[in-house]
Amino acid sequence: MTSSKSGTRAKAAKAPTKASAEAPAKTPGAAKVGKTAKAAKSNRPAKPAKAAKAPEAVKVPKGESHLALVRRARRINRELAEVYPYAHPELDFRNPFELLVATVLSAQTTDLRVNQTTPALFAAYPTPEDMAAAVPEEMEELIRPTGFFRAKTKSLLGLSAALRDDFGGEVPGRLEDLVKLPGVGRKTANVVLGNAFGVPGITVDTHFGRLVRRWKWTDEEDPVKVEAVVADIFPKSEWTMLSHRVVFHGRRICHSRKPACGACPIAPLCPSYGEGETDPEKARKLLKYEMGGYPGQRLSPPPDFPGKPAPALGAA
């Protein structure tokens, strides 16, 4: 992946004030808000921050045209590409079958927990034929840490048998074939197509859906409708990487309950700025994974990942 001139550093975020909607922040990776930043510059005590609200400069007009929406959304994508030039799928895998299985296991749990569980699973069942012949109770024990292990075992046994019987033991590279496999929906199919076969796809998970609604790209809740709306905004060539960037941002900065608005590098572009913590110092404490100096979710991250590998299951 080609990084921008800013490399892996997040651009300094900007938050408009009443005096100027364009005043840049002085601290990299954090949004300076209102008179607080000015007071700090002159060593005067900062006045208490007012109730947070979306910056005037980035409020979305009620009658925003489709063209204006497209331009705004594409600019956010370009900014995220500079913040996360190393964005990637956060599941460990070595082939399409491993990615398919890992993605099925990732439902209702974290990618980290899946990555800590799959080494033993793939050591026991390296191929669809091996997995299809597994003893259910033995597989259940291997994947128990991911939760819902009985239902997931049933799905893995079913999809493995289908791969063995209907596809010669190979994972198909077409969406219409993938979604016929037990436990595989559009989200899982798009993950596999985009990252194992290079076929563009938009992955609408909880993070993706939450962020595109915060950015006012759509107000749709249904993942299929969200996918259709976003697909109409971006060219196919951007779909897979857009998905990674948005999910990365949702996991690291734009959290569900308390987004780190004050440390967000795209704060000036966000119509929901102020829903979370706007104080830069407090916001930085909310950052997760490599953004906060912590391990990532993969035990075997790609070479360009700037963070630390995740620990194995049971490691201190």
Side-chain angles (χ1 to χ4, degrees), residues 204-283:
V204 183
D205 67 356
T206 55
H207 301 287
F208 191 96
R210 180 179 75 251
L211 267 62
V212 299
R213 285 187 287 273
R214 276 183 177 165
W215 294 332
K216 312 303 182 186
W217 293 1
T218 180
D219 58 3
E220 296 287 355
E221 296 281 345
D222 180 78
V224 176
K225 292 180 179 179
V226 171
E227 180 185 339
V229 170
V230 177
D232 188 50
I233 296 174
F234 295 92
K236 281 187 177 182
S237 59
E238 286 291 314
W239 289 358
T240 300
M241 287 309 303
L242 169 72
S243 299
H244 292 324
R245 293 164 190 152
V246 174
V247 171
F248 257 58
H249 195 63
R251 286 174 170 169
R252 287 150 177 79
I253 296 178
C254 195
H255 313 307
S256 176
R257 295 185 180 180
K258 197 170 185 180
C261 294
C264 180
I266 62 166
L269 302 174
C270 181
S272 297
Y273 173 82
E275 286 188 7
E277 179 59 66
T278 57
D279 179 82
E281 292 302 322
K282 293 180 179 179

Coordinates of all heavy atoms in Angstrom, one line a residue, residues 204-283:
V204 N -20.1 -4.3 5.7 CA -20.9 -3.5 6.6 C -21.0 -4.2 7.9 O -21.9 -5.0 8.2 CB -22.2 -3.2 6.0 CG1 -23.0 -2.3 7.0 CG2 -22.1 -2.5 4.7
D205 N -20.0 -4.0 8.8 CA -20.2 -4.5 10.2 C -20.7 -3.4 11.1 O -21.1 -2.4 10.6 CB -18.8 -5.1 10.7 CG -17.8 -4.0 10.9 OD1 -18.1 -2.8 10.6 OD2 -16.7 -4.4 11.4
T206 N -20.7 -3.7 12.4 CA -21.3 -2.7 13.3 C -20.5 -1.4 13.3 O -21.1 -0.3 13.4 CB -21.3 -3.3 14.8 OG1 -20.0 -3.7 15.1 CG2 -22.3 -4.4 14.9
H207 N -19.2 -1.5 13.2 CA -18.4 -0.3 13.2 C -18.7 0.6 11.9 O -18.9 1.8 12.0 CB -16.9 -0.6 13.2 CG -16.5 -1.4 14.4 ND1 -16.4 -0.8 15.6 CD2 -16.1 -2.7 14.5 CE1 -16.0 -1.7 16.5 NE2 -15.8 -2.9 15.9
F208 N -18.7 -0.1 10.8 CA -18.9 0.6 9.5 C -20.3 1.3 9.5 O -20.4 2.4 9.1 CB -18.8 -0.4 8.3 CG -18.8 0.2 7.0 CD1 -17.6 0.4 6.3 CD2 -20.0 0.6 6.3 CE1 -17.5 1.0 5.1 CE2 -19.9 1.1 5.1 CZ -18.7 1.4 4.4
G209 N -21.3 0.5 9.9 CA -22.7 1.1 9.9 C -22.8 2.3 10.8 O -23.4 3.3 10.5
R210 N -22.1 2.2 12.0 CA -22.2 3.3 13.0 C -21.5 4.6 12.4 O -22.1 5.6 12.5 CB -21.5 2.9 14.3 CG -21.5 3.9 15.4 CD -20.8 3.5 16.6 NE -19.4 3.4 16.5 CZ -18.7 2.3 16.5 NH1 -19.3 1.2 16.5 NH2 -17.3 2.4 16.4
L211 N -20.4 4.4 11.8 CA -19.6 5.6 11.4 C -20.3 6.2 10.2 O -20.4 7.5 10.1 CB -18.2 5.2 11.1 CG -17.2 5.4 12.2 CD1 -17.6 4.6 13.4 CD2 -15.8 5.2 11.8
V212 N -20.8 5.5 9.2 CA -21.4 6.1 8.0 C -22.7 6.8 8.4 O -23.0 7.8 7.8 CB -21.6 5.1 6.9 CG1 -20.3 4.5 6.4 CG2 -22.7 4.0 7.3
R213 N -23.3 6.4 9.5 CA -24.5 7.1 10.0 C -24.0 8.4 10.7 O -24.7 9.5 10.6 CB -25.4 6.3 10.8 CG -26.2 5.2 10.0 CD -27.2 4.5 10.9 NE -26.5 3.5 11.8 CZ -26.2 2.3 11.4 NH1 -26.6 1.8 10.2 NH2 -25.7 1.4 12.2
R214 N -23.0 8.3 11.5 CA -22.5 9.5 12.2 C -22.0 10.6 11.1 O -22.1 11.8 11.4 CB -21.3 9.1 13.1 CG -21.7 8.7 14.4 CD -20.5 8.4 15.3 NE -21.0 8.0 16.6 CZ -20.2 7.4 17.6 NH1 -18.9 7.1 17.3 NH2 -20.7 7.0 18.7
W215 N -21.5 10.1 10.0 CA -21.0 11.0 9.0 C -22.1 11.5 8.1 O -21.8 12.2 7.1 CB -19.9 10.4 8.2 CG -18.6 10.1 9.0 CD1 -18.2 10.8 10.1 CD2 -17.7 9.1 8.8 NE1 -17.0 10.2 10.6 CE2 -16.7 9.2 9.7 CE3 -17.6 8.1 7.8 CZ2 -15.6 8.3 9.8 CZ3 -16.5 7.2 7.9 CH2 -15.5 7.3 8.9
K216 N -23.3 11.0 8.3 CA -24.5 11.4 7.6 C -24.4 11.0 6.1 O -24.9 11.7 5.2 CB -24.7 12.9 7.6 CG -24.7 13.5 9.1 CD -25.7 12.8 10.0 CE -25.7 13.5 11.4 NZ -26.5 12.7 12.4
W217 N -23.7 9.9 5.8 CA -23.7 9.3 4.5 C -25.1 8.7 4.2 O -25.5 8.7 3.1 CB -22.6 8.3 4.3 CG -21.2 8.9 4.4 CD1 -20.9 10.2 4.6 CD2 -20.0 8.1 4.2 NE1 -19.5 10.3 4.6 CE2 -18.9 9.0 4.4 CE3 -19.7 6.8 4.0 CZ2 -17.6 8.7 4.3 CZ3 -18.4 6.4 3.9 CH2 -17.3 7.3 4.1
T218 N -25.7 8.2 5.2 CA -27.0 7.5 5.1 C -27.6 7.4 6.5 O -26.9 7.5 7.5 CB -26.8 6.1 4.5 OG1 -28.2 5.5 4.4 CG2 -26.0 5.2 5.4
D219 N -28.9 7.2 6.6 CA -29.5 7.0 7.9 C -30.1 5.6 7.9 O -30.8 5.2 8.8 CB -30.6 8.0 8.1 CG -31.7 8.1 7.1 OD1 -31.6 7.3 6.1 OD2 -32.6 8.9 7.2
E220 N -29.8 4.8 6.9 CA -30.2 3.4 6.8 C -29.6 2.5 7.9 O -28.5 2.7 8.3 CB -29.9 2.8 5.5 CG -30.5 3.4 4.3 CD -32.0 3.1 4.2 OE1 -32.5 2.2 5.0 OE2 -32.7 3.6 3.3
E221 N -30.4 1.6 8.4 CA -29.9 0.7 9.5 C -29.6 -0.7 8.9 O -28.8 -1.4 9.4 CB -31.0 0.6 10.6 CG -31.3 1.9 11.4 CD -30.2 2.2 12.4 OE1 -29.4 1.2 12.7 OE2 -30.1 3.3 12.9
D222 N -30.4 -1.1 7.9 CA -30.2 -2.4 7.3 C -28.9 -2.5 6.6 O -28.6 -1.6 5.7 CB -31.3 -2.7 6.3 CG -31.2 -4.0 5.7 OD1 -31.5 -5.0 6.3 OD2 -30.7 -4.1 4.5
P223 N -28.0 -3.5 6.9 CA -26.7 -3.6 6.3 C -26.7 -3.6 4.8 O -25.8 -3.1 4.1 CB -26.1 -4.9 6.9 CG -26.8 -5.0 8.2 CD -28.2 -4.5 8.0
V224 N -27.6 -4.3 4.2 CA -27.7 -4.4 2.7 C -28.0 -3.1 2.1 O -27.4 -2.7 1.1 CB -28.8 -5.5 2.3 CG1 -28.9 -5.5 0.8 CG2 -28.4 -6.9 2.8
K225 N -28.9 -2.3 2.7 CA -29.2 -1.0 2.2 C -28.0 0.0 2.4 O -27.7 0.8 1.5 CB -30.4 -0.4 2.9 CG -31.7 -1.2 2.5 CD -32.9 -0.6 3.2 CE -34.2 -1.4 2.9 NZ -35.4 -0.8 3.6
V226 N -27.3 -0.2 3.5 CA -26.1 0.7 3.8 C -25.1 0.4 2.7 O -24.5 1.3 2.1 CB -25.5 0.4 5.2 CG1 -24.2 1.1 5.3 CG2 -26.5 0.9 6.3
E227 N -24.9 -0.9 2.4 CA -23.9 -1.3 1.4 C -24.3 -0.7 0.0 O -23.4 -0.2 -0.7 CB -23.9 -2.8 1.3 CG -22.9 -3.4 0.2 CD -23.0 -4.9 0.0 OE1 -23.5 -5.6 1.0 OE2 -22.6 -5.3 -1.0
A228 N -25.5 -0.7 -0.3 CA -26.0 -0.2 -1.6 C -25.7 1.3 -1.7 O -25.3 1.9 -2.7 CB -27.4 -0.5 -1.8
V229 N -26.0 2.1 -0.6 CA -25.8 3.5 -0.6 C -24.4 3.9 -0.7 O -24.0 4.7 -1.5 CB -26.4 4.1 0.7 CG1 -26.0 5.6 0.9 CG2 -27.9 4.0 0.8
V230 N -23.5 3.2 0.1 CA -22.1 3.5 0.0 C -21.5 3.1 -1.3 O -20.6 3.8 -1.8 CB -21.4 2.8 1.2 CG1 -19.9 3.1 1.1 CG2 -21.9 3.3 2.5
A231 N -21.9 2.0 -1.9 CA -21.4 1.6 -3.2 C -21.7 2.6 -4.3 O -21.0 2.7 -5.2 CB -22.0 0.2 -3.5
D232 N -22.8 3.4 -4.1 CA -23.2 4.4 -5.0 C -22.3 5.7 -4.9 O -22.2 6.5 -5.8 CB -24.6 4.8 -4.9 CG -25.1 5.7 -6.0 OD1 -24.9 5.4 -7.2 OD2 -25.8 6.7 -5.6
I233 N -21.6 5.8 -3.7 CA -20.8 7.0 -3.5 C -19.4 6.8 -4.0 O -18.7 7.8 -4.4 CB -20.8 7.3 -2.0 CG1 -22.2 7.6 -1.5 CG2 -19.8 8.4 -1.6 CD1 -22.3 7.8 0.0
F234 N -18.8 5.6 -3.9 CA -17.4 5.3 -4.2 C -17.3 4.4 -5.4 O -18.1 3.5 -5.6 CB -16.8 4.7 -3.0 CG -16.7 5.6 -1.8 CD1 -17.7 5.6 -0.8 CD2 -15.6 6.5 -1.6 CE1 -17.7 6.4 0.3 CE2 -15.6 7.3 -0.5 CZ -16.6 7.3 0.5
P235 N -16.2 4.6 -6.1 CA -15.9 3.6 -7.2 C -15.5 2.3 -6.6 O -15.0 2.1 -5.5 CB -14.7 4.3 -7.9 CG -14.0 5.1 -6.9 CD -15.2 5.6 -6.0
K236 N -15.7 1.2 -7.4 CA -15.5 -0.2 -6.9 C -14.0 -0.3 -6.4 O -13.8 -1.1 -5.5 CB -15.8 -1.2 -8.0 CG -17.2 -1.5 -8.2 CD -17.4 -2.6 -9.2 CE -18.8 -3.0 -9.4 NZ -19.0 -4.2 -10.3
S237 N -13.1 0.3 -7.1 CA -11.7 0.2 -6.7 C -11.4 0.6 -5.3 O -10.4 0.2 -4.7 CB -10.8 1.0 -7.6 OG -11.2 2.4 -7.6
E238 N -12.3 1.4 -4.6 CA -12.1 1.8 -3.3 C -12.8 1.0 -2.2 O -12.6 1.1 -1.0 CB -12.6 3.3 -3.1 CG -11.6 4.3 -3.8 CD -10.3 4.4 -3.0 OE1 -10.3 4.5 -1.8 OE2 -9.3 4.4 -3.7
W239 N -13.7 0.1 -2.6 CA -14.6 -0.5 -1.7 C -13.9 -1.3 -0.6 O -14.3 -1.1 0.6 CB -15.6 -1.5 -2.5 CG -16.6 -0.8 -3.3 CD1 -16.8 0.6 -3.4 CD2 -17.6 -1.4 -4.1 NE1 -17.9 0.8 -4.2 CE2 -18.4 -0.3 -4.7 CE3 -17.9 -2.7 -4.4 CZ2 -19.4 -0.6 -5.6 CZ3 -19.0 -3.0 -5.3 CH2 -19.7 -1.9 -5.9
T240 N -13.0 -2.1 -1.0 CA -12.3 -3.0 0.1 C -11.5 -2.2 1.0 O -11.6 -2.3 2.3 CB -11.5 -4.1 -0.6 OG1 -12.3 -4.9 -1.4 CG2 -10.8 -4.9 0.4
M241 N -10.7 -1.3 0.5 CA -9.8 -0.5 1.4 C -10.7 0.5 2.2 O -10.4 0.8 3.4 CB -8.8 0.3 0.6 CG -7.7 -0.6 0.1 SD -6.9 -1.7 1.5 CE -6.4 -0.4 2.6
L242 N -11.7 1.1 1.6 CA -12.6 1.9 2.4 C -13.2 1.2 3.6 O -13.2 1.8 4.7 CB -13.8 2.4 1.5 CG -14.9 3.1 2.2 CD1 -14.5 4.5 2.7 CD2 -16.2 3.2 1.3
S243 N -13.6 0.0 3.4 CA -14.1 -0.8 4.5 C -13.1 -1.0 5.6 O -13.4 -0.8 6.8 CB -14.5 -2.2 4.0 OG -15.5 -2.1 3.0
H244 N -11.8 -1.3 5.3 CA -10.8 -1.4 6.3 C -10.6 -0.1 7.0 O -10.4 -0.1 8.3 CB -9.5 -1.8 5.6 CG -9.5 -3.2 5.1 ND1 -10.2 -4.3 5.7 CD2 -8.9 -3.8 4.0 CE1 -10.0 -5.4 5.0 NE2 -9.3 -5.1 3.9
R245 N -10.5 1.0 6.3 CA -10.2 2.3 6.9 C -11.3 2.7 7.9 O -11.0 3.2 9.0 CB -10.0 3.4 5.8 CG -8.8 3.2 5.0 CD -8.9 4.1 3.7 NE -7.9 3.7 2.8 CZ -8.0 3.9 1.4 NH1 -9.1 4.4 0.9 NH2 -7.0 3.5 0.6
V246 N -12.5 2.5 7.5 CA -13.7 2.9 8.3 C -13.7 2.0 9.6 O -13.9 2.5 10.7 CB -15.0 2.8 7.6 CG1 -16.2 3.0 8.5 CG2 -15.0 3.8 6.4
V247 N -13.5 0.7 9.4 CA -13.5 -0.2 10.6 C -12.3 0.2 11.5 O -12.5 0.2 12.7 CB -13.5 -1.6 10.1 CG1 -13.2 -2.6 11.3 CG2 -14.7 -2.0 9.4
F248 N -11.2 0.4 10.9 CA -10.0 0.8 11.7 C -10.3 2.0 12.6 O -10.0 2.1 13.8 CB -8.8 1.1 10.8 CG -7.8 0.0 10.8 CD1 -8.1 -1.3 10.4 CD2 -6.4 0.3 11.2 CE1 -7.2 -2.3 10.4 CE2 -5.5 -0.7 11.1 CZ -5.8 -2.0 10.8
H249 N -10.9 3.0 12.0 CA -11.3 4.3 12.7 C -12.3 4.0 13.8 O -12.2 4.6 14.9 CB -11.8 5.3 11.7 CG -11.8 6.7 12.2 ND1 -10.6 7.4 12.6 CD2 -12.8 7.6 12.5 CE1 -11.0 8.6 13.1 NE2 -12.3 8.7 13.0
G250 N -13.3 3.2 13.5 CA -14.3 2.9 14.5 C -13.7 2.1 15.7 O -14.2 2.3 16.8
R251 N -12.7 1.3 15.5 CA -12.2 0.5 16.6 C -11.2 1.3 17.4 O -11.0 1.1 18.6 CB -11.5 -0.7 16.0 CG -12.4 -1.8 15.6 CD -11.7 -3.0 14.9 NE -12.6 -4.1 14.7 CZ -12.4 -5.2 13.9 NH1 -11.2 -5.2 13.3 NH2 -13.3 -6.1 13.8
R252 N -10.5 2.3 16.8 CA -9.4 3.0 17.4 C -9.8 4.3 18.0 O -9.3 4.7 19.1 CB -8.3 3.1 16.4 CG -7.5 1.8 16.2 CD -6.9 1.7 14.8 NE -6.2 0.5 14.7 CZ -6.8 -0.7 14.5 NH1 -8.1 -0.8 14.4 NH2 -6.1 -1.8 14.4
I253 N -10.7 5.0 17.3 CA -11.0 6.4 17.7 C -12.5 6.7 17.9 O -12.9 7.2 18.9 CB -10.4 7.4 16.7 CG1 -8.8 7.3 16.7 CG2 -10.8 8.9 17.0 CD1 -8.1 8.2 15.7
C254 N -13.2 6.4 16.8 CA -14.7 6.7 16.9 C -15.5 5.6 17.5 O -16.3 4.9 16.8 CB -15.1 7.0 15.4 SG -16.7 7.9 15.4
H255 N -15.3 5.4 18.8 CA -15.9 4.3 19.5 C -17.4 4.5 19.6 O -18.0 5.6 19.5 CB -15.3 4.2 20.9 CG -13.8 4.2 20.9 ND1 -13.1 3.4 20.2 CD2 -13.0 5.0 21.6 CE1 -11.8 3.7 20.4 NE2 -11.7 4.7 21.3
S256 N -18.1 3.5 20.0 CA -19.6 3.5 20.0 C -20.1 4.4 21.2 O -20.9 5.3 21.0 CB -20.1 2.1 20.2 OG -21.5 2.1 20.3
R257 N -19.6 4.1 22.4 CA -20.1 4.8 23.5 C -19.5 6.1 23.8 O -20.1 7.1 24.2 CB -20.0 3.9 24.8 CG -20.9 2.6 24.7 CD -20.8 1.9 26.0 NE -21.6 0.6 26.0 CZ -21.7 -0.2 27.0 NH1 -21.0 0.0 28.1 NH2 -22.4 -1.3 26.9
K258 N -18.2 6.2 23.6 CA -17.5 7.5 23.9 C -16.4 7.7 22.8 O -15.2 7.4 23.1 CB -16.9 7.4 25.3 CG -16.5 8.8 25.8 CD -16.1 8.8 27.3 CE -15.9 10.1 27.8 NZ -15.5 10.1 29.3
P259 N -16.8 8.3 21.7 CA -15.8 8.5 20.7 C -14.7 9.6 21.1 O -15.1 10.5 21.9 CB -16.6 9.1 19.5 CG -17.9 9.5 20.1 CD -18.1 8.6 21.2
A260 N -13.5 9.4 20.7 CA -12.4 10.3 21.1 C -12.4 11.5 20.1 O -11.4 11.7 19.4 CB -11.1 9.6 21.1
C261 N -13.4 12.4 20.2 CA -13.5 13.5 19.2 C -12.3 14.4 19.3 O -11.8 14.9 18.3 CB -14.7 14.3 19.5 SG -16.3 13.4 19.2
G262 N -11.7 14.6 20.5 CA -10.6 15.6 20.7 C -9.3 15.0 20.1 O -8.3 15.8 20.0
A263 N -9.2 13.8 19.8 CA -8.0 13.2 19.2 C -8.3 12.6 17.8 O -7.5 11.9 17.3 CB -7.5 12.0 20.1
C264 N -9.4 13.1 17.2 CA -9.8 12.6 15.9 C -9.2 13.4 14.8 O -9.4 14.6 14.7 CB -11.3 12.5 15.8 SG -11.9 11.9 14.2
P265 N -8.4 12.8 13.9 CA -7.8 13.6 12.8 C -8.7 14.0 11.7 O -8.4 14.8 10.9 CB -6.8 12.6 12.3 CG -7.3 11.2 12.6 CD -8.0 11.4 13.9
I266 N -10.0 13.5 11.7 CA -11.0 14.0 10.7 C -12.1 14.8 11.4 O -13.1 15.0 10.8 CB -11.5 12.9 9.9 CG1 -12.3 11.9 10.8 CG2 -10.4 12.2 9.1 CD1 -13.1 10.9 10.0
A267 N -11.8 15.3 12.6 CA -12.8 16.1 13.3 C -13.4 17.2 12.5 O -14.6 17.5 12.5 CB -12.3 16.6 14.6
P268 N -12.6 18.0 11.7 CA -13.2 19.1 11.0 C -14.2 18.7 9.9 O -14.9 19.5 9.3 CB -12.0 19.8 10.3 CG -10.8 19.3 11.2 CD -11.1 17.9 11.6
L269 N -14.2 17.4 9.5 CA -15.0 16.9 8.5 C -16.3 16.1 9.0 O -17.1 15.7 8.3 CB -14.3 15.9 7.6 CG -13.0 16.5 6.9 CD1 -12.3 15.4 6.2 CD2 -13.4 17.6 6.0
C270 N -16.3 16.0 10.4 CA -17.4 15.2 11.0 C -18.6 16.0 11.5 O -18.4 16.9 12.3 CB -16.8 14.4 12.2 SG -18.0 13.3 13.0
P271 N -19.8 15.7 10.9 CA -21.0 16.5 11.3 C -21.4 16.1 12.7 O -22.3 16.7 13.3 CB -22.0 16.1 10.3 CG -21.5 14.8 9.7 CD -20.0 14.8 9.8
S272 N -20.8 15.0 13.3 CA -21.2 14.6 14.6 C -20.2 14.9 15.7 O -20.2 14.4 16.8 CB -21.5 13.1 14.6 OG -22.6 12.7 13.8
Y273 N -19.2 15.8 15.3 CA -18.2 16.2 16.3 C -18.8 16.7 17.5 O -19.7 17.5 17.5 CB -17.3 17.2 15.7 CG -16.3 17.8 16.7 CD1 -15.1 17.1 16.9 CD2 -16.5 19.0 17.3 CE1 -14.2 17.6 17.9 CE2 -15.7 19.5 18.3 CZ -14.5 18.8 18.5 OH -13.6 19.3 19.4
G274 N -18.3 16.3 18.7 CA -18.9 16.7 20.0 C -19.7 15.7 20.6 O -20.1 15.8 21.8
E275 N -20.0 14.6 20.0 CA -20.8 13.5 20.6 C -19.9 12.8 21.7 O -20.4 12.2 22.6 CB -21.2 12.4 19.6 CG -22.4 12.9 18.7 CD -23.0 11.8 17.9 OE1 -22.5 10.6 18.0 OE2 -23.8 12.1 17.0
G276 N -18.6 12.9 21.5 CA -17.7 12.2 22.4 C -16.8 13.3 23.2 O -17.1 14.4 23.2
E277 N -15.7 12.8 23.8 CA -14.8 13.6 24.5 C -14.1 14.6 23.6 O -13.4 14.1 22.7 CB -13.8 12.7 25.3 CG -12.8 13.5 26.1 CD -13.4 14.4 27.1 OE1 -14.1 13.8 28.1 OE2 -13.3 15.6 27.0
T278 N -14.2 15.9 23.8 CA -13.5 16.9 23.0 C -12.2 17.4 23.5 O -11.4 18.0 22.8 CB -14.5 18.1 22.7 OG1 -14.8 18.6 24.0 CG2 -15.7 17.6 22.0
D279 N -12.0 17.2 24.8 CA -10.7 17.6 25.4 C -9.6 16.7 24.8 O -9.6 15.5 25.0 CB -10.7 17.5 26.9 CG -9.4 17.9 27.6 OD1 -9.2 19.1 27.7 OD2 -8.6 17.0 27.8
P280 N -8.6 17.3 24.2 CA -7.5 16.5 23.6 C -6.8 15.6 24.5 O -6.6 14.4 24.1 CB -6.5 17.6 23.1 CG -7.3 18.8 22.9 CD -8.4 18.8 24.0
E281 N -6.5 16.0 25.7 CA -5.7 15.1 26.6 C -6.6 13.9 27.1 O -6.2 12.8 27.1 CB -5.3 15.9 27.8 CG -4.2 16.9 27.5 CD -2.9 16.3 26.9 OE1 -2.6 15.1 27.3 OE2 -2.3 16.8 26.0
K282 N -7.9 14.2 27.4 CA -8.8 13.1 27.8 C -9.1 12.2 26.7 O -9.2 11.0 26.8 CB -10.1 13.8 28.4 CG -9.9 14.5 29.7 CD -11.2 15.1 30.2 CE -11.0 15.8 31.5 NZ -12.3 16.4 32.0
A283 N -9.2 12.8 25.5 CA -9.5 12.0 24.3 C -8.4 11.0 24.0 O -8.6 9.9 23.6 CB -9.8 12.9 23.1

